[in-house]
Amino acid sequence: MPQAKSLPNDAVLVVGAGIVGMQAALDLAAMNHPVTLIDRSPSIGGNMILLDKTFPTNDCSTCMISPRMVACARHPLIRILTLAELTDLGGEPGRFTARIVQHPRYVDEEACIACRACVDKCPRKVPNEFNFGLNDRKAIYFAHAQSIPMTPSIDAASCIFLQKGRCGACEKICQAGAIRLDDREKHLEFAVGAVILSAGYELAVDPLAGEFGYKRYPNVVTNLEYERMLSAAGPFGGHPTRLSDGRTPRRTAWIQCVASRDSARKRNFCSSVCCMAAVKQAMITLEHDSDARATVFFMDMRAHGKDFDRYVQRAGDTYGVRFVRSMISKIVMIPSSQNLLIEYFDRETMERREEEYELVVLSAGMSPSPGFLPVLGRLGLERNSYGFVVSDMERPGHTSREGIFVCGTLDGPKDIPDSVSGAAAAASGAAAMLAEGRREEPADSTLPAQRDVAGEPPRIGVFVCHCGTNIAGVVNVEALTGFAAALPGVAVAEHFLFTCSTQSQERIREVIHEHRLNRVVVAACSPRTHEPLFRETLLQSGLNKYLFEMANIRDQCSWVHGQEPVAATDKSRHLLRAAVARAALLEPIREVATRVVRRALVVGAGLAGMTAALTLADLGIEAVLVEKESSPGGSAAEVYATLEGRSPRRLAEELSDRVGSHRNVVLYTEATVKSVSGGPGRFTASIERNGTREETDFGAIIVATGGETYRPKEYCYGGHPAVLTQLELEKRLHSGGHPSPQSTVMIQCIGSRRDDFALCSRICCSAAVKNAISLMERNPRGTVTILYRDMRTFGFKEEYYKRARDLGVIFVRFDPESPPDVRIDGNGGLRVVCHDASSRRDLEIRPDLLVLSAGIRPRPGGAEIAKMLKLPLMQEGFFLEAHPKLNPLDCPGAGIFLCGLAHSPRFMEESLSQARGAACRAAGLLLRREITTSGTVAEVDRERCAACLLCVYSCPYKVPYIDGEGISVIGPRKCQGCGVCVSECPAKAITFHHYTDAQVVAQARGAAG
């Protein structure tokens, strides 16, 4: 990687503060790089905060992104500038000068106390762009309920004073003196070493075009507008609403591929996420009203992500979402009812049909933000014909200009997990370029000394969350707060619209000091996503973080008992009483510090493994690469070219050469990992090679065990020489010596999307299109017929699908209930019979070649690694990540990361992006001097231990051992806090800190009432 000529500093400018930009900023800060994070909006958060929930987990989007926002605001190495835009960039990599314009807020962030008096007093109302004009806001306004900074801004175009010199009500009412009506635009210059662009996307639908009646018919809305309808913090409190009359629609339709896959508008690409977003919205709609009707009109159901097909199946089988494969002709509004008549061509029955709906949602595609395009032009970055930035497929995140990186949807449509992975990949690129100037010492968090609460009677603070209307729409929050205030040991109880907002966090800190609290209970959502945030608030308040308890009254109450508000409120009382009872017995716990071993173990030396190792090596971190085969390369060695013309085979050779020559990479071939012990910061792995074993310590582990092609057992494979897989056909096409077939048939979804393997293998459709194009170019007079269920050429791969059709490739769709039938006739030839779902006729083809698009399976050995590392697997055998949206590269086990085909089937560029991202995540741990391990560990009472060895035999992590005095010892650094030994010990000699018997019993009794 080219190094900057000079490194004046190691700062990075991140442009765009959505979830992608924030992830890049946090990953860079974890590697000790200072970051300036800018966004042109009044608040950070981006598009994700617009969403209601995410699929397939159905987590609240606002609650998922809020901890990221607070983490950025709190981090000492991250500076946030809102209402700011990059206008130009001069200099060279490592010595850039960024020119930024910061628009006036007209409110002083330092002086403002967010009391909302100015907003309440303002007489001017205008459409609220955050809610796409579905409701109004004032001319002075907060961007949304969880704005960071929590400071209002004045819309100069709407403010009466700024337009006409009259009013000034906000200035008169503001007791803090924070209004600055004479505020002016600021022009700033920053010296930065690298720039990461993550400016996001906007919907491509054109209001002026009136597409499908949009902006002409009031009950036609876009997918993002409908997200705001569904959002608990949205304009309608989370209830779908017809704009024409305010009624709740009972019949709602979704129309897919609006402004995507549209040759007429020269948008020949798929926006990738729209199908799944529509399925999610339909499911949520039916959760609101199980008697409603939800219909999705689609061309191909592109559920190409991890476990997405199962999600779609559940939508149809469990929720009753209706899917209609169709092409929409037009939508007409019925004047008397303002309902919408959809005229469409049913591709199942081949008939023209009409259906009436009360609300229509347009699944509109993505476009780069038009306001950001001039900046891209000034930066001189290469873009494709649709305006998206072109990134290097072999170096994901790198643009055509060295030192400028890109992530998120700015370089093409993608879902949240791939965007978050790409953010980490871009951060790793910037960090590697600036590695020589990186500071070694982490930023000082300046936490106050922890207060000694020993001997104090419990003084518990209870804070109840509305979560917009996610909780308050079902649970009586005010009554629950009053109930909490009367519980034993509770000193104060309050409720907030969002407890995770910065304003609420500051209020919690104030209450802790004001009432001398020594325990805190938050009744809100899931501790899985929010417990770290609240624990950090306790640390900033001078309390030990283990003096915190959480009651999940959203996931376990309001969401599952939405139709029973009285019962849900009563259950919330039980959960809250249990949490308070346990909190009263919580004790401070001192965590054990572990000196970090600055070395990583990478398991698997395919493209992903080699890329991860080299990324770490470029960051100055030693990587030990373990490969069980005799040479690195993995499955990439079998692939001659991608759909776009890149060569994984060549890339594998280049990476192999770099691995062999890099001073920070150690490669072990014909080697296997036999055992792993320890925890994050210091794992000890036993590696066997050449018949001998050696033990080495590592600070982090990256799993890149790869995948392999499914070996078909169907369609005469292995029983006829003319039946090949796509990989075998590709090898034949590149090796030469074989005549071009006159007739070729390809069958999709071999070994995928079936009962025993429900996943889509993601790459098969593109592989078929790639080889079909090659066959047609070699023999234009030949025929290629692709038998498919859904063509999943998402993103810019759609262009190649169109090219294949233009070349004459024939696409025939079949239903899974009527798969193709393949037989060998009496003359030894192949006979393929397929029921064409469109024409409803049986087609018979006698091909010269039958090619099976075989799917991807996990590589053997992954299960052993999973067992060794105590990691969960999907039922198909791929590794499970910690969280599919927020932590797609982190394993549930701390200090272990995941990338490539071990994660799930994916394209070369996606595996490379994940590998760079996983290395970035690992580097955030490895570049620290020491880490503290969880205090939730087991400890042996030496006076009571009988050395019965039950703990030794039962521990899945092999942590306990018998010392020289014949007593069991459980090392706190190695203990994983599973609690198995505690339950097995017959002498009750083992204490599980933070989950003592007394605490658990008190919690159970509290829940029982």
Side-chain angles (χ1 to χ4, degrees):
M1 177 178 296
Q3 295 292 316
K5 296 177 181 178
S6 177
L7 296 172
N9 55 56
D10 61 335
V12 180
L13 174 67
V14 178
V15 183
I19 185 172
V20 180
M22 290 191 293
Q23 182 67 55
L26 289 168
D27 283 332
L28 284 162
M31 294 184 284
N32 303 330
H33 289 277
V35 179
T36 297
L37 178 62
I38 71 170
D39 198 279
R40 61 181 179 173
S41 302
S43 167
I44 62 175
N47 284 333
M48 188 172 171
I49 206 161
L50 297 170
L51 307 184
D52 176 49
K53 296 179 183 177
T54 64
F55 62 88
T57 57
N58 276 7
D59 284 318
C60 171
S61 295
T62 303
C63 292
M64 285 170 64
I65 197 169
S66 180
R68 287 283 204 284
M69 296 168 64
V70 176
C72 284
R74 285 177 170 174
H75 204 291
L77 283 179
I78 299 176
R79 172 175 55 173
I80 296 173
L81 294 178
T82 53
L83 293 166
E85 296 183 79
L86 176 67
T87 58
D88 201 4
L89 189 72
E92 58 187 13
R95 299 181 61 87
F96 286 125
T97 299
R99 296 176 180 86
I100 294 170
V101 59
Q102 186 172 28
H103 303 291
R105 182 181 290 273
Y106 301 105
V107 181
D108 188 329
E109 291 182 30
E110 298 297 326
C112 178
I113 59 173
C115 65
R116 297 190 61 89
C118 57
V119 178
D120 295 337
K121 189 69 174 177
C122 178
R124 177 73 167 163
K125 290 185 178 181
V126 294
N128 185 355
E129 65 274 15
F130 181 76
N131 287 325
F132 299 96
L134 298 177
N135 67 343
D136 291 336
R137 62 161 172 82
K138 298 294 185 68
I140 184 169
Y141 66 102
F142 291 91
H144 49 80
Q146 292 173 292
S147 294
I148 291 180
M150 185 53 76
T151 307
S153 57
I154 296 178
D155 177 4
S158 305
C159 174
I160 298 173
F161 180 87
L162 293 174
Q163 290 296 313
K164 300 181 180 180
R166 301 195 302 270
C167 185
C170 55
E171 188 174 34
K172 297 169 187 174
I173 198 70
C174 181
Q175 295 183 3
I179 303 300
R180 302 285 185 268
L181 294 175
D182 59 349
D183 201 0
R184 294 291 180 266
E185 194 174 79
K186 299 180 181 68
H187 294 269
L188 311 171
E189 286 192 359
F190 296 132
V192 295
V195 177
I196 295 178
L197 305 178
S198 59
Y201 73 93
E202 292 185 8
L203 296 184
V205 64
D206 183 3
L208 298 178
E211 201 156 15
F212 292 119
Y214 181 59
K215 292 302 181 185
R216 288 190 293 119
Y217 305 151
N219 297 323
V220 176
V221 299
T222 66
N223 41 1
L224 281 183
E225 289 170 349
Y226 195 67
E227 286 285 350
R228 296 311 300 150
M229 287 187 184
L230 292 174
S231 174
F236 307 123
H239 301 288
T241 303
R242 276 166 50 102
L243 300 181
S244 62
D245 50 23
R247 290 192 301 109
T248 300
R250 303 300 303 277
R251 298 183 305 251
T252 305
W254 282 259
I255 297 178
Q256 301 308 104
C257 301
V258 177
S260 296
R261 305 182 70 184
D262 187 345
S263 298
R265 293 183 57 180
K266 297 182 180 180
R267 290 179 55 84
N268 297 319
F269 66 93
C270 164
S271 288
S272 192
V273 304
C274 315
C275 284
M276 294 307 298
V279 174
K280 175 202 73 173
Q281 290 177 348
M283 291 171 69
I284 296 173
T285 300
L286 295 178
E287 286 175 353
H288 281 275
D289 183 358
S290 59
D291 294 326
R293 178 180 173 186
T295 304
V296 178
F297 293 94
F298 72 103
M299 292 194 290
D300 293 287
M301 182 50 60
R302 293 191 164 169
H304 46 265
K306 191 174 184 178
D307 227 13
F308 287 3
D309 268 313
R310 250 191 220 104
Y311 188 81
V312 174
Q313 185 172 354
R314 182 155 59 98
D317 295 347
T318 305
Y319 282 76
V321 177
R322 176 171 166 250
F323 295 96
V324 179
R325 196 180 297 269
S326 56
M327 296 186 69
I328 306 298
S329 297
K330 60 182 178 181
I331 297 178
V332 177
M333 187 179 74
I334 302 170
S336 58
S337 63
Q338 293 192 308
N339 288 350
L340 300 153
L341 193 65
I342 298 179
E343 181 182 305
Y344 68 96
F345 182 75
D346 191 326
R347 293 173 62 193
E348 302 281 355
T349 64
M350 303 301 288
E351 296 175 346
R352 175 188 169 279
R353 295 183 179 274
E354 289 183 350
E355 292 182 9
E356 186 175 334
Y357 290 89
E358 295 173 74
L359 185 71
V360 171
V361 182
L362 305 182
S363 292
M366 296 181 181
S367 275
S369 172
F372 198 61
L373 293 179
V375 178
L376 295 178
R378 287 194 291 274
L379 295 179
L381 300 181
E382 181 184 356
R383 289 176 285 161
N384 66 15
S385 59
Y386 311 114
F388 293 93
V389 174
V390 174
S391 62
D392 190 334
M393 295 184 71
E394 296 183 6
R395 295 193 305 159
H398 288 250
T399 67
S400 58
R401 185 174 174 185
E402 199 64 39
I404 302 180
F405 303 86
V406 64
C407 55
T409 54
L410 193 58
D411 63 341
K414 56 180 73 72
D415 190 16
I416 295 169
D418 293 321
S419 295
V420 171
S421 300
S428 74
M433 193 189 80
L434 303 172
E436 290 183 7
R438 182 184 61 232
R439 63 195 66 195
E440 287 298 316
E441 291 293 332
D444 183 10
S445 60
T446 62
L447 290 174
Q450 290 186 18
R451 197 173 95 226
D452 184 5
V453 300
E456 293 184 7
R459 290 188 58 79
I460 304 169
V462 177
F463 304 98
V464 184
C465 186
H466 290 243
C467 198
T469 58
N470 273 304
I471 294 172
V474 178
V475 175
N476 187 332
V477 170
E478 289 80 3
L480 185 62
T481 306
F483 169 80
L487 291 174
V490 173
V492 63
E494 295 188 6
H495 57 89
F496 303 112
L497 182 63
F498 289 102
T499 53
C500 56
S501 70
T502 50
Q503 189 176 19
S504 298
Q505 296 296 297
E506 290 173 5
R507 175 58 186 162
I508 290 173
R509 289 169 61 183
E510 290 174 4
V511 174
I512 289 173
H513 291 297
E514 181 182 342
H515 293 270
R516 293 285 294 176
L517 301 181
N518 54 28
R519 309 285 192 284
V520 170
V521 173
V522 171
C525 53
S526 172
R528 182 174 64 130
T529 55
H530 282 63
E531 187 177 65
L533 171 69
F534 295 117
R535 283 183 165 183
E536 178 69 20
T537 299
L538 261 67
L539 289 173
Q540 293 184 347
S541 304
L543 289 178
N544 186 280
K545 70 180 185 181
Y546 290 96
L547 298 172
F548 171 76
E549 178 65 7
M550 201 163 180
N552 188 347
I553 61 170
R554 187 194 68 182
D555 304 41
Q556 296 174 359
C557 251
S558 63
W559 276 3
V560 290
H561 307 296
Q563 307 305 315
E564 304 172 280
V566 175
T569 301
D570 185 57
K571 182 178 176 181
S572 295
R573 291 191 184 98
H574 285 267
L575 291 173
L576 185 53
R577 182 168 49 225
V580 169
R582 173 171 144 75
L585 299 179
L586 292 178
E587 299 173 345
I589 300 175
R590 294 184 68 86
E591 295 183 326
V592 178
T594 300
R595 186 80 173 179
V596 174
V597 177
R598 192 168 288 186
R599 182 187 303 114
L601 171 64
V602 182
V603 186
L607 284 186
M610 289 191 291
T611 299
L614 288 166
T615 302
L616 287 167
D618 288 341
L619 290 167
I621 298 169
E622 182 183 349
V624 176
L625 189 56
V626 177
E627 170 57 47
K628 67 177 182 178
E629 302 296 338
S630 59
S631 60
S635 57
E638 304 174 41
V639 184
Y640 287 81
T642 67
L643 186 60
E644 297 81 5
R646 298 300 181 101
S647 173
R649 186 182 176 93
R650 173 195 53 76
L651 180 60
E653 294 172 354
E654 292 178 359
L655 292 177
S656 180
D657 289 342
R658 282 198 65 203
V659 162
S661 61
H662 205 299
R663 65 179 181 178
N664 288 334
V665 179
V666 177
L667 172 63
Y668 293 160
T669 55
E670 297 183 310
T672 54
V673 180
K674 289 299 182 182
S675 67
V676 176
S677 61
R682 186 174 292 274
F683 294 98
T684 299
S686 175
I687 302 171
E688 182 177 270
R689 60 185 182 124
N690 301 324
T692 62
R693 290 195 185 191
E694 61 180 80
E695 284 195 349
T696 310
D697 289 340
F698 302 94
I701 299 172
I702 296 178
V703 178
T705 49
E708 62 182 16
T709 304
Y710 167 71
R711 189 167 180 83
K713 302 177 180 63
E714 50 269 78
Y715 295 128
C716 304
Y717 181 79
H720 195 286
V723 182
L724 310 174
T725 64
Q726 292 288 357
L727 275 179
E728 291 166 345
L729 172 60
E730 183 171 351
K731 183 176 181 180
R732 178 180 291 193
L733 290 171
H734 283 81
S735 62
H738 296 276
S740 296
Q742 283 300 115
S743 174
T744 303
V745 171
M746 299 179 179
I747 303 178
Q748 301 304 104
C749 299
I750 306 300
S752 302
R753 300 182 69 190
R754 63 189 199 187
D755 291 342
D756 65 333
F757 196 89
L759 294 185
C760 166
S761 286
R762 196 175 179 96
I763 67 171
C764 313
C765 287
S766 293
V769 167
K770 174 186 68 178
N771 287 337
I773 290 173
S774 183
L775 286 169
M776 293 301 293
E777 288 177 338
R778 290 165 186 251
N779 182 15
R781 295 178 179 237
T783 62
V784 178
T785 305
I786 298 180
L787 310 180
Y788 73 100
R789 290 171 59 181
D790 295 279
M791 285 305 297
R792 293 181 169 175
T793 47
F794 56 92
F796 302 130
K797 299 181 191 301
E798 181 74 10
E799 294 179 320
Y800 297 90
Y801 178 30
K802 181 179 184 300
R803 173 165 171 72
R805 297 197 307 272
D806 292 342
L807 287 171
V809 177
I810 301 166
F811 291 86
V812 177
R813 188 180 62 81
F814 68 88
D815 289 322
E817 295 80 15
S818 303
D821 179 64
V822 177
R823 297 182 184 179
I824 301 173
D825 63 22
N827 297 320
L830 292 170
R831 175 178 174 270
V832 180
V833 177
C834 177
H835 182 77
D836 181 2
S838 297
S839 66
R840 290 185 291 174
R841 295 182 178 181
D842 287 337
L843 303 180
E844 180 178 316
I845 308 172
R846 295 184 177 273
D848 301 320
L849 206 60
L850 176 62
V851 186
L852 305 181
S853 294
I856 299 294
R857 296 292 171 92
R859 191 175 290 277
E864 287 76 10
I865 294 292
K867 184 177 180 181
M868 189 186 308
L869 299 176
K870 308 300 184 293
L871 299 177
L873 296 172
M874 300 179 67
Q875 64 189 64
E876 289 80 12
F878 296 103
F879 286 83
L880 276 173
E881 59 274 71
H883 192 286
K885 300 291 185 185
L886 295 181
N887 301 107
L889 304 176
D890 296 47
C891 291
I896 307 174
F897 306 90
L898 177 63
C899 61
L901 297 183
H903 177 282
S904 58
R906 50 197 50 255
F907 290 96
M908 177 191 78
E909 62 273 21
E910 295 170 335
S911 289
L912 296 175
S913 178
Q914 279 196 336
R916 289 173 175 266
C920 173
R921 300 289 296 160
L925 165 63
L926 295 169
L927 291 173
R928 296 163 68 178
R929 290 191 180 277
E930 63 179 26
I931 62 169
T932 54
T933 54
S934 172
T936 307
V937 295
E939 183 180 4
V940 177
D941 182 345
R942 297 182 66 84
E943 297 297 323
R944 303 178 67 176
C945 177
C948 66
L949 300 181
L950 273 176
C951 60
V952 176
Y953 295 139
S954 65
C955 177
Y957 298 94
K958 309 300 180 188
V959 174
Y961 66 93
I962 304 300
D963 68 7
E965 299 178 17
I967 304 297
S968 175
V969 176
I970 300 175
R973 289 186 178 87
K974 295 184 177 181
C975 179
Q976 300 297 305
C978 67
V980 171
C981 61
V982 182
S983 61
E984 290 288 343
C985 180
K988 294 292 182 182
I990 306 178
T991 298
F992 194 17
H993 292 298
H994 201 56
Y995 290 95
T996 65
D997 288 354
Q999 291 166 357
V1000 173
V1001 169
Q1003 187 173 24
R1005 288 175 176 167

